[in-house]
Amino acid sequence: MQLFYTPDIQGKSYTLNEIESKHAIRVLRLNPGDSIQLIDGKGSLYTAQITDANPKRCQIVVQAQEREFGKRNSYLHIAVAPTKNIDRLEWFLEKATEIGIDEITPVLCEHSERKVIKDDRLEKVIVSAMKQSLKAYLPRLNPLTPLNELLQSEFRGKKFIAHCHELDKRQLKNEIPGSLSNLILIGPEGDFSEQELTTALQNNFIPVSLGSSRLRTETAALAACHTCNLLLED
Amino acid sequence: MQLFYTPDIQGKSYTLNEIESKHAIRVLRLNPGDSIQLIDGKGSLYTAQITDANPKRCQIVVQAQEREFGKRNSYLHIAVAPTKNIDRLEWFLEKATEIGIDEITPVLCEHSERKVIKDDRLEKVIVSAMKQSLKAYLPRLNPLTPLNELLQSEFRGKKFIAHCHELDKRQLKNEIPGSLSNLILIGPEGDFSEQELTTALQNNFIPVSLGSSRLRTETAALAACHTCNLLLED
């Protein structure tokens, strides 16, 4: 069934915006009486029926609402330095959304080569992945944040920093079982600086390794995301 | 240190091919006496020194050879239907090579939308990922193979088929621990046909789920690859 993202849906009736209306009526050629699915990005999956097939203001009526659809039993926040080639960050966003993630914070590090990102474009990638993988929760994308700000921000759960410095590290996969709320920090191509690492440790981030392979930034971020989902899912 | 792929290296001296020579001398501006690293794709990592900085026939002499560099303790063969958009298969190849894989077979299924692939281009992606992640073993890429041929071929180890049909499935993550040789089959966007699934079961493939999320073909293949590496790595 066709799926639409309707973040502002309330009550039993709804009017699709102009773009979605055009897609539903002109592209998909849906008619009054046809059923569609809606997700609000807040956990609800709706089944609805088209009442007015207006190509600019398509009206629908909700027939059923499933709350907490596909709710995960844990919370995952990944903070990652945007890659020089933005495509690599975008695929991480797509794949992490498919696999399961709650919050993403692009962080600005000392060795970051990329210092600007287009939030709206990244948001589109996440929405599209959410629809494609039929998820009802939209992962939260935070604005680009200076690393020090993130290091000192409050987080209820375990905090990890994955880095390549020669230093005692635990294996992330041994830390995750039983830990239902996790913040994992992934550095830029040039890794974190000594100073950044020191500050992270002072702020109770646990230094971890993701395994023996040398991974690119976006691969490391996705591996961390999959590790948490794999080891915490019932 | 600069890394070069030299699959045909033997003995103590070697001459880089014209492309690699040009890269070393004209682009990297290396000089006699400079050290470089070589990988042969068969498990050896060499440290070598440039003896003749010839931009067409750069000669080097091997100073040290490390055998079984980064050898994994398990064997992983993933057979996957090429995606309609070839970029998605290419990124799976890149990421799987980074994370760890031994053999990849693109398979032609009943519901495959893509029926041709460019082996040489895919091979380039794998070689580049191997160099980038400093691995000495080149994953083996087989030619596009009809599914039935693969289903009936010999494999020493556990064989799995990941599919979305309503059918009793085990969780892949519960099957992998202790299983050091695995073949995992990932279907096309349209999933396997009933007939293909039946034939797979007749050939002792174990039906598995990768988790509760609906994953794209290439995401499922990578998730399976990461699951094996995560759960089998010491």
Side-chain angles (χ1 to χ4, degrees), chain B residues 143-195:
Chain B
L144 187 60
T145 306
L147 180 62
N148 278 324
E149 196 177 303
L150 181 108
L151 291 177
Q152 282 150 34
S153 64
E154 171 97 0
F155 181 77
R156 288 187 186 166
K158 272 193 182 178
K159 301 187 292 185
F160 302 99
I161 181 168
H163 66 85
C164 307
H165 290 268
E166 289 301 327
L167 176 73
D168 263 3
K169 281 178 270 189
R170 306 185 193 170
Q171 290 292 324
L172 180 66
K173 66 179 178 183
N174 299 335
E175 298 296 310
I176 293 304
S179 174
L180 294 180
S181 181
N182 302 290
L183 165 58
I184 305 172
L185 189 48
I186 307 289
E189 280 87 344
D191 207 354
F192 297 104
S193 70
E194 291 283 354
Q195 180 54 55

Short mmCIF file of all heavy atoms in Angstrom, two decimals, chain B residues 143-195:
data_model
loop_
_atom_site.label_atom_id
_atom_site.label_comp_id
_atom_site.label_asym_id
_atom_site.label_seq_id
_atom_site.Cartn_x
_atom_site.Cartn_y
_atom_site.Cartn_z
N PRO B 143 31.73 -14.53 -10.91
CA PRO B 143 30.86 -13.97 -11.94
C PRO B 143 29.39 -14.15 -11.57
O PRO B 143 29.05 -14.95 -10.69
CB PRO B 143 31.22 -14.77 -13.19
CG PRO B 143 31.91 -15.98 -12.72
CD PRO B 143 32.52 -15.66 -11.40
N LEU B 144 28.52 -13.39 -12.22
CA LEU B 144 27.08 -13.49 -12.02
C LEU B 144 26.66 -14.95 -12.25
O LEU B 144 26.96 -15.54 -13.29
CB LEU B 144 26.36 -12.56 -13.00
CG LEU B 144 24.85 -12.40 -12.83
CD1 LEU B 144 24.50 -11.84 -11.46
CD2 LEU B 144 24.31 -11.46 -13.92
N THR B 145 26.01 -15.52 -11.24
CA THR B 145 25.69 -16.95 -11.25
C THR B 145 24.19 -17.18 -11.11
O THR B 145 23.55 -16.57 -10.25
CB THR B 145 26.41 -17.64 -10.06
OG1 THR B 145 27.80 -17.34 -10.13
CG2 THR B 145 26.21 -19.15 -10.09
N PRO B 146 23.61 -18.06 -11.96
CA PRO B 146 22.19 -18.39 -11.78
C PRO B 146 21.96 -18.98 -10.39
O PRO B 146 22.77 -19.81 -9.93
CB PRO B 146 21.92 -19.44 -12.86
CG PRO B 146 22.99 -19.21 -13.88
CD PRO B 146 24.19 -18.76 -13.11
N LEU B 147 20.89 -18.58 -9.73
CA LEU B 147 20.66 -19.01 -8.35
C LEU B 147 20.68 -20.53 -8.20
O LEU B 147 21.33 -21.05 -7.29
CB LEU B 147 19.33 -18.46 -7.83
CG LEU B 147 18.98 -18.86 -6.39
CD1 LEU B 147 20.02 -18.34 -5.41
CD2 LEU B 147 17.61 -18.36 -6.01
N ASN B 148 20.02 -21.24 -9.12
CA ASN B 148 19.96 -22.69 -8.98
C ASN B 148 21.34 -23.34 -8.97
O ASN B 148 21.59 -24.31 -8.26
CB ASN B 148 19.11 -23.31 -10.10
CG ASN B 148 17.63 -23.22 -9.74
OD1 ASN B 148 17.27 -23.36 -8.57
ND2 ASN B 148 16.79 -22.96 -10.73
N GLU B 149 22.24 -22.75 -9.77
CA GLU B 149 23.61 -23.26 -9.81
C GLU B 149 24.26 -23.09 -8.43
O GLU B 149 24.89 -24.00 -7.91
CB GLU B 149 24.38 -22.48 -10.87
CG GLU B 149 25.69 -23.11 -11.32
CD GLU B 149 26.32 -22.28 -12.44
OE1 GLU B 149 25.63 -22.08 -13.48
OE2 GLU B 149 27.45 -21.79 -12.24
N LEU B 150 24.06 -21.93 -7.84
CA LEU B 150 24.65 -21.67 -6.53
C LEU B 150 24.03 -22.59 -5.47
O LEU B 150 24.72 -23.15 -4.62
CB LEU B 150 24.46 -20.22 -6.11
CG LEU B 150 25.10 -19.92 -4.75
CD1 LEU B 150 26.35 -19.08 -4.90
CD2 LEU B 150 24.13 -19.28 -3.79
N LEU B 151 22.71 -22.75 -5.54
CA LEU B 151 22.00 -23.57 -4.54
C LEU B 151 22.52 -25.00 -4.53
O LEU B 151 22.56 -25.65 -3.49
CB LEU B 151 20.50 -23.56 -4.82
CG LEU B 151 19.75 -22.25 -4.59
CD1 LEU B 151 18.28 -22.39 -4.97
CD2 LEU B 151 19.88 -21.80 -3.14
N GLN B 152 22.92 -25.48 -5.71
CA GLN B 152 23.34 -26.88 -5.80
C GLN B 152 24.85 -27.05 -5.68
O GLN B 152 25.36 -28.16 -5.66
CB GLN B 152 22.83 -27.48 -7.11
CG GLN B 152 21.33 -27.84 -7.02
CD GLN B 152 20.61 -27.74 -8.34
OE1 GLN B 152 21.18 -28.01 -9.40
NE2 GLN B 152 19.35 -27.32 -8.30
N SER B 153 25.57 -25.93 -5.58
CA SER B 153 27.04 -26.05 -5.48
C SER B 153 27.43 -26.48 -4.07
O SER B 153 26.71 -26.28 -3.10
CB SER B 153 27.69 -24.70 -5.82
OG SER B 153 27.32 -23.76 -4.84
N GLU B 154 28.62 -27.07 -4.00
CA GLU B 154 29.16 -27.59 -2.73
C GLU B 154 29.61 -26.44 -1.83
O GLU B 154 30.22 -25.49 -2.31
CB GLU B 154 30.35 -28.49 -3.06
CG GLU B 154 31.18 -28.94 -1.88
CD GLU B 154 30.78 -30.34 -1.41
OE1 GLU B 154 29.86 -30.92 -2.03
OE2 GLU B 154 31.39 -30.82 -0.45
N PHE B 155 29.28 -26.50 -0.55
CA PHE B 155 29.84 -25.55 0.40
C PHE B 155 30.06 -26.22 1.74
O PHE B 155 29.15 -26.85 2.28
CB PHE B 155 28.92 -24.33 0.59
CG PHE B 155 29.47 -23.31 1.56
CD1 PHE B 155 30.50 -22.45 1.17
CD2 PHE B 155 29.01 -23.24 2.86
CE1 PHE B 155 31.02 -21.53 2.06
CE2 PHE B 155 29.53 -22.31 3.76
CZ PHE B 155 30.54 -21.46 3.35
N ARG B 156 31.28 -26.14 2.24
CA ARG B 156 31.59 -26.75 3.53
C ARG B 156 31.35 -25.74 4.63
O ARG B 156 32.18 -24.86 4.86
CB ARG B 156 33.04 -27.22 3.56
CG ARG B 156 33.28 -28.44 2.72
CD ARG B 156 34.68 -28.98 2.91
NE ARG B 156 34.97 -30.07 2.00
CZ ARG B 156 36.18 -30.54 1.77
NH1 ARG B 156 37.23 -30.02 2.40
NH2 ARG B 156 36.37 -31.55 0.92
N GLY B 157 30.21 -25.84 5.28
CA GLY B 157 29.87 -24.90 6.34
C GLY B 157 28.36 -24.76 6.40
O GLY B 157 27.63 -25.50 5.75
N LYS B 158 27.90 -23.78 7.17
CA LYS B 158 26.46 -23.55 7.29
C LYS B 158 26.00 -22.70 6.13
O LYS B 158 26.68 -21.75 5.71
CB LYS B 158 26.15 -22.85 8.61
CG LYS B 158 25.91 -23.77 9.79
CD LYS B 158 25.31 -22.96 10.95
CE LYS B 158 25.08 -23.78 12.18
NZ LYS B 158 24.52 -22.96 13.30
N LYS B 159 24.82 -23.03 5.60
CA LYS B 159 24.24 -22.27 4.49
C LYS B 159 22.93 -21.63 4.96
O LYS B 159 22.08 -22.30 5.53
CB LYS B 159 23.98 -23.19 3.30
CG LYS B 159 25.23 -23.89 2.78
CD LYS B 159 24.96 -24.65 1.49
CE LYS B 159 24.05 -25.85 1.72
NZ LYS B 159 23.90 -26.65 0.45
N PHE B 160 22.81 -20.34 4.71
CA PHE B 160 21.62 -19.60 5.14
C PHE B 160 20.96 -18.89 3.96
O PHE B 160 21.63 -18.45 3.04
CB PHE B 160 22.00 -18.55 6.18
CG PHE B 160 22.67 -19.10 7.40
CD1 PHE B 160 24.06 -19.06 7.52
CD2 PHE B 160 21.93 -19.67 8.42
CE1 PHE B 160 24.69 -19.57 8.66
CE2 PHE B 160 22.54 -20.18 9.56
CZ PHE B 160 23.93 -20.13 9.68
N ILE B 161 19.65 -18.76 4.05
CA ILE B 161 18.92 -17.93 3.09
C ILE B 161 18.07 -16.94 3.87
O ILE B 161 17.24 -17.32 4.70
CB ILE B 161 18.06 -18.78 2.11
CG1 ILE B 161 17.34 -17.86 1.13
CG2 ILE B 161 17.08 -19.70 2.86
CD1 ILE B 161 16.70 -18.59 -0.05
N ALA B 162 18.34 -15.65 3.66
CA ALA B 162 17.58 -14.59 4.33
C ALA B 162 16.45 -14.16 3.39
O ALA B 162 16.70 -13.77 2.25
CB ALA B 162 18.48 -13.41 4.63
N HIS B 163 15.23 -14.29 3.86
CA HIS B 163 14.09 -13.93 3.00
C HIS B 163 12.97 -13.33 3.84
O HIS B 163 13.04 -13.30 5.07
CB HIS B 163 13.58 -15.18 2.28
CG HIS B 163 12.99 -16.19 3.21
ND1 HIS B 163 11.69 -16.12 3.63
CD2 HIS B 163 13.55 -17.27 3.84
CE1 HIS B 163 11.45 -17.13 4.45
NE2 HIS B 163 12.56 -17.83 4.61
N CYS B 164 11.94 -12.83 3.17
CA CYS B 164 10.85 -12.13 3.86
C CYS B 164 9.54 -12.90 3.83
O CYS B 164 8.50 -12.39 4.26
CB CYS B 164 10.64 -10.75 3.24
SG CYS B 164 12.15 -9.79 3.17
N HIS B 165 9.54 -14.13 3.30
CA HIS B 165 8.31 -14.91 3.26
C HIS B 165 7.83 -15.25 4.66
O HIS B 165 8.63 -15.34 5.59
CB HIS B 165 8.53 -16.21 2.48
CG HIS B 165 8.74 -16.02 1.01
ND1 HIS B 165 7.71 -16.06 0.09
CD2 HIS B 165 9.86 -15.75 0.31
CE1 HIS B 165 8.20 -15.85 -1.12
NE2 HIS B 165 9.51 -15.66 -1.02
N GLU B 166 6.52 -15.43 4.81
CA GLU B 166 5.95 -15.86 6.08
C GLU B 166 6.28 -17.33 6.26
O GLU B 166 5.73 -18.19 5.58
CB GLU B 166 4.43 -15.67 6.08
CG GLU B 166 4.00 -14.21 6.13
CD GLU B 166 4.53 -13.48 7.35
OE1 GLU B 166 4.67 -14.12 8.41
OE2 GLU B 166 4.87 -12.29 7.23
N LEU B 167 7.19 -17.62 7.13
CA LEU B 167 7.71 -18.98 7.26
C LEU B 167 8.59 -19.00 8.51
O LEU B 167 9.19 -17.98 8.85
CB LEU B 167 8.55 -19.31 6.01
CG LEU B 167 9.28 -20.64 5.95
CD1 LEU B 167 8.28 -21.76 5.73
CD2 LEU B 167 10.29 -20.62 4.79
N ASP B 168 8.62 -20.14 9.18
CA ASP B 168 9.47 -20.24 10.36
C ASP B 168 10.91 -19.91 9.99
O ASP B 168 11.45 -20.48 9.06
CB ASP B 168 9.40 -21.66 10.94
CG ASP B 168 8.39 -21.71 12.09
OD1 ASP B 168 7.74 -20.67 12.33
OD2 ASP B 168 8.25 -22.77 12.72
N LYS B 169 11.46 -18.95 10.72
CA LYS B 169 12.84 -18.56 10.46
C LYS B 169 13.60 -18.53 11.77
O LYS B 169 13.04 -18.24 12.82
CB LYS B 169 12.90 -17.17 9.82
CG LYS B 169 12.59 -17.16 8.35
CD LYS B 169 12.60 -15.76 7.78
CE LYS B 169 11.23 -15.11 7.86
NZ LYS B 169 11.16 -13.83 7.12
N ARG B 170 14.89 -18.80 11.71
CA ARG B 170 15.75 -18.61 12.88
C ARG B 170 16.37 -17.23 12.77
O ARG B 170 16.35 -16.60 11.72
CB ARG B 170 16.83 -19.68 12.91
CG ARG B 170 16.28 -21.10 12.83
CD ARG B 170 17.40 -22.11 12.99
NE ARG B 170 16.96 -23.46 12.61
CZ ARG B 170 17.81 -24.49 12.47
NH1 ARG B 170 19.10 -24.33 12.68
NH2 ARG B 170 17.35 -25.68 12.12
N GLN B 171 16.91 -16.75 13.88
CA GLN B 171 17.63 -15.49 13.87
C GLN B 171 19.08 -15.77 13.47
O GLN B 171 19.75 -16.57 14.12
CB GLN B 171 17.58 -14.82 15.24
CG GLN B 171 16.21 -14.28 15.63
CD GLN B 171 15.81 -13.10 14.78
OE1 GLN B 171 16.65 -12.27 14.39
NE2 GLN B 171 14.53 -13.03 14.42
N LEU B 172 19.57 -15.11 12.43
CA LEU B 172 20.95 -15.34 11.99
C LEU B 172 21.92 -15.19 13.17
O LEU B 172 22.84 -16.00 13.34
CB LEU B 172 21.34 -14.37 10.87
CG LEU B 172 22.77 -14.52 10.35
CD1 LEU B 172 22.97 -15.87 9.66
CD2 LEU B 172 23.14 -13.39 9.41
N LYS B 173 21.68 -14.17 14.00
CA LYS B 173 22.63 -13.89 15.09
C LYS B 173 22.74 -15.05 16.08
O LYS B 173 23.74 -15.18 16.78
CB LYS B 173 22.26 -12.60 15.82
CG LYS B 173 20.96 -12.64 16.58
CD LYS B 173 20.72 -11.29 17.27
CE LYS B 173 19.39 -11.28 18.01
NZ LYS B 173 19.12 -9.95 18.61
N ASN B 174 21.71 -15.90 16.14
CA ASN B 174 21.78 -17.06 17.04
C ASN B 174 22.46 -18.26 16.40
O ASN B 174 22.84 -19.21 17.08
CB ASN B 174 20.38 -17.45 17.50
CG ASN B 174 19.70 -16.34 18.27
OD1 ASN B 174 20.38 -15.48 18.86
ND2 ASN B 174 18.38 -16.30 18.23
N GLU B 175 22.60 -18.24 15.08
CA GLU B 175 23.18 -19.37 14.34
C GLU B 175 24.68 -19.24 14.13
O GLU B 175 25.38 -20.23 13.93
CB GLU B 175 22.50 -19.48 12.97
CG GLU B 175 21.00 -19.76 13.02
CD GLU B 175 20.70 -21.11 13.65
OE1 GLU B 175 21.32 -22.10 13.23
OE2 GLU B 175 19.88 -21.15 14.60
N ILE B 176 25.17 -18.00 14.17
CA ILE B 176 26.56 -17.73 13.81
C ILE B 176 27.61 -18.13 14.86
O ILE B 176 28.63 -18.73 14.52
CB ILE B 176 26.73 -16.24 13.42
CG1 ILE B 176 25.96 -15.95 12.13
CG2 ILE B 176 28.20 -15.87 13.26
CD1 ILE B 176 26.36 -16.84 10.95
N PRO B 177 27.35 -17.84 16.16
CA PRO B 177 28.39 -18.20 17.13
C PRO B 177 28.81 -19.67 17.00
O PRO B 177 27.95 -20.55 16.97
CB PRO B 177 27.72 -17.91 18.48
CG PRO B 177 26.75 -16.81 18.18
CD PRO B 177 26.21 -17.15 16.82
N GLY B 178 30.11 -19.90 16.88
CA GLY B 178 30.61 -21.26 16.76
C GLY B 178 30.61 -21.80 15.33
O GLY B 178 31.18 -22.85 15.04
N SER B 179 29.98 -21.07 14.41
CA SER B 179 29.96 -21.50 13.01
C SER B 179 31.01 -20.71 12.22
O SER B 179 30.80 -19.55 11.89
CB SER B 179 28.57 -21.27 12.42
OG SER B 179 28.59 -21.55 11.03
N LEU B 180 32.15 -21.35 11.93
CA LEU B 180 33.30 -20.62 11.38
C LEU B 180 33.31 -20.53 9.85
O LEU B 180 34.19 -19.89 9.27
CB LEU B 180 34.60 -21.24 11.88
CG LEU B 180 34.82 -21.11 13.39
CD1 LEU B 180 36.13 -21.76 13.81
CD2 LEU B 180 34.80 -19.64 13.80
N SER B 181 32.38 -21.20 9.19
CA SER B 181 32.31 -21.11 7.74
C SER B 181 30.86 -20.95 7.32
O SER B 181 30.03 -21.83 7.59
CB SER B 181 32.92 -22.36 7.11
OG SER B 181 32.87 -22.25 5.70
N ASN B 182 30.53 -19.82 6.72
CA ASN B 182 29.13 -19.50 6.43
C ASN B 182 28.92 -18.96 5.02
O ASN B 182 29.70 -18.17 4.52
CB ASN B 182 28.63 -18.46 7.44
CG ASN B 182 28.77 -18.95 8.88
OD1 ASN B 182 28.06 -19.85 9.31
ND2 ASN B 182 29.74 -18.38 9.60
N LEU B 183 27.82 -19.44 4.43
CA LEU B 183 27.35 -18.94 3.14
C LEU B 183 25.97 -18.34 3.38
O LEU B 183 25.07 -19.01 3.88
CB LEU B 183 27.25 -20.07 2.12
CG LEU B 183 26.46 -19.80 0.83
CD1 LEU B 183 27.03 -18.61 0.07
CD2 LEU B 183 26.48 -21.04 -0.07
N ILE B 184 25.84 -17.06 3.07
CA ILE B 184 24.56 -16.37 3.30
C ILE B 184 24.03 -15.83 2.00
O ILE B 184 24.74 -15.14 1.26
CB ILE B 184 24.72 -15.25 4.34
CG1 ILE B 184 25.34 -15.80 5.63
CG2 ILE B 184 23.36 -14.60 4.63
CD1 ILE B 184 25.70 -14.73 6.65
N LEU B 185 22.77 -16.15 1.74
CA LEU B 185 22.12 -15.80 0.49
C LEU B 185 21.13 -14.66 0.72
O LEU B 185 20.27 -14.76 1.60
CB LEU B 185 21.42 -17.05 0.00
CG LEU B 185 20.80 -17.14 -1.37
CD1 LEU B 185 21.77 -16.63 -2.43
CD2 LEU B 185 20.47 -18.61 -1.64
N ILE B 186 21.29 -13.58 -0.04
CA ILE B 186 20.44 -12.39 0.09
C ILE B 186 19.72 -12.15 -1.24
O ILE B 186 20.37 -12.08 -2.29
CB ILE B 186 21.28 -11.15 0.44
CG1 ILE B 186 22.15 -11.39 1.67
CG2 ILE B 186 20.39 -9.92 0.61
CD1 ILE B 186 21.42 -11.48 2.98
N GLY B 187 18.42 -12.04 -1.19
CA GLY B 187 17.62 -11.95 -2.40
C GLY B 187 17.49 -10.56 -3.00
O GLY B 187 18.00 -9.58 -2.44
N PRO B 188 16.82 -10.46 -4.14
CA PRO B 188 16.64 -9.20 -4.85
C PRO B 188 15.53 -8.35 -4.19
O PRO B 188 14.88 -8.82 -3.26
CB PRO B 188 16.21 -9.63 -6.24
CG PRO B 188 15.48 -10.92 -6.02
CD PRO B 188 16.18 -11.58 -4.86
N GLU B 189 15.35 -7.14 -4.70
CA GLU B 189 14.32 -6.23 -4.18
C GLU B 189 12.97 -6.96 -4.06
O GLU B 189 12.24 -6.78 -3.09
CB GLU B 189 14.17 -5.01 -5.09
CG GLU B 189 15.24 -3.93 -4.88
CD GLU B 189 16.52 -4.13 -5.69
OE1 GLU B 189 16.75 -5.24 -6.23
OE2 GLU B 189 17.30 -3.17 -5.80
N GLY B 190 12.65 -7.81 -5.02
CA GLY B 190 11.36 -8.51 -5.01
C GLY B 190 11.37 -9.81 -4.22
O GLY B 190 10.45 -10.61 -4.31
N ASP B 191 12.45 -10.05 -3.47
CA ASP B 191 12.62 -11.26 -2.67
C ASP B 191 12.74 -12.52 -3.57
O ASP B 191 12.65 -12.43 -4.79
CB ASP B 191 11.46 -11.45 -1.68
CG ASP B 191 11.90 -12.26 -0.44
OD1 ASP B 191 13.03 -12.77 -0.41
OD2 ASP B 191 11.09 -12.36 0.50
N PHE B 192 12.98 -13.66 -2.93
CA PHE B 192 13.05 -14.92 -3.68
C PHE B 192 11.64 -15.37 -4.04
O PHE B 192 10.68 -15.04 -3.35
CB PHE B 192 13.72 -16.00 -2.83
CG PHE B 192 15.14 -15.70 -2.47
CD1 PHE B 192 15.47 -15.27 -1.20
CD2 PHE B 192 16.16 -15.84 -3.41
CE1 PHE B 192 16.78 -14.97 -0.86
CE2 PHE B 192 17.47 -15.55 -3.08
CZ PHE B 192 17.78 -15.11 -1.80
N SER B 193 11.52 -16.16 -5.10
CA SER B 193 10.21 -16.73 -5.43
C SER B 193 9.98 -17.94 -4.53
O SER B 193 10.91 -18.50 -3.94
CB SER B 193 10.19 -17.17 -6.90
OG SER B 193 11.03 -18.30 -7.07
N GLU B 194 8.72 -18.36 -4.45
CA GLU B 194 8.37 -19.56 -3.66
C GLU B 194 9.24 -20.74 -4.11
O GLU B 194 9.78 -21.49 -3.30
CB GLU B 194 6.89 -19.91 -3.87
CG GLU B 194 5.91 -18.93 -3.26
CD GLU B 194 5.78 -19.09 -1.75
OE1 GLU B 194 6.36 -20.05 -1.19
OE2 GLU B 194 5.12 -18.23 -1.13
N GLN B 195 9.36 -20.89 -5.42
CA GLN B 195 10.10 -22.01 -6.00
C GLN B 195 11.57 -21.96 -5.60
O GLN B 195 12.17 -22.96 -5.20
CB GLN B 195 9.97 -21.99 -7.53
CG GLN B 195 10.70 -23.13 -8.22
CD GLN B 195 10.30 -24.50 -7.68
OE1 GLN B 195 9.12 -24.84 -7.65
NE2 GLN B 195 11.29 -25.26 -7.18
#
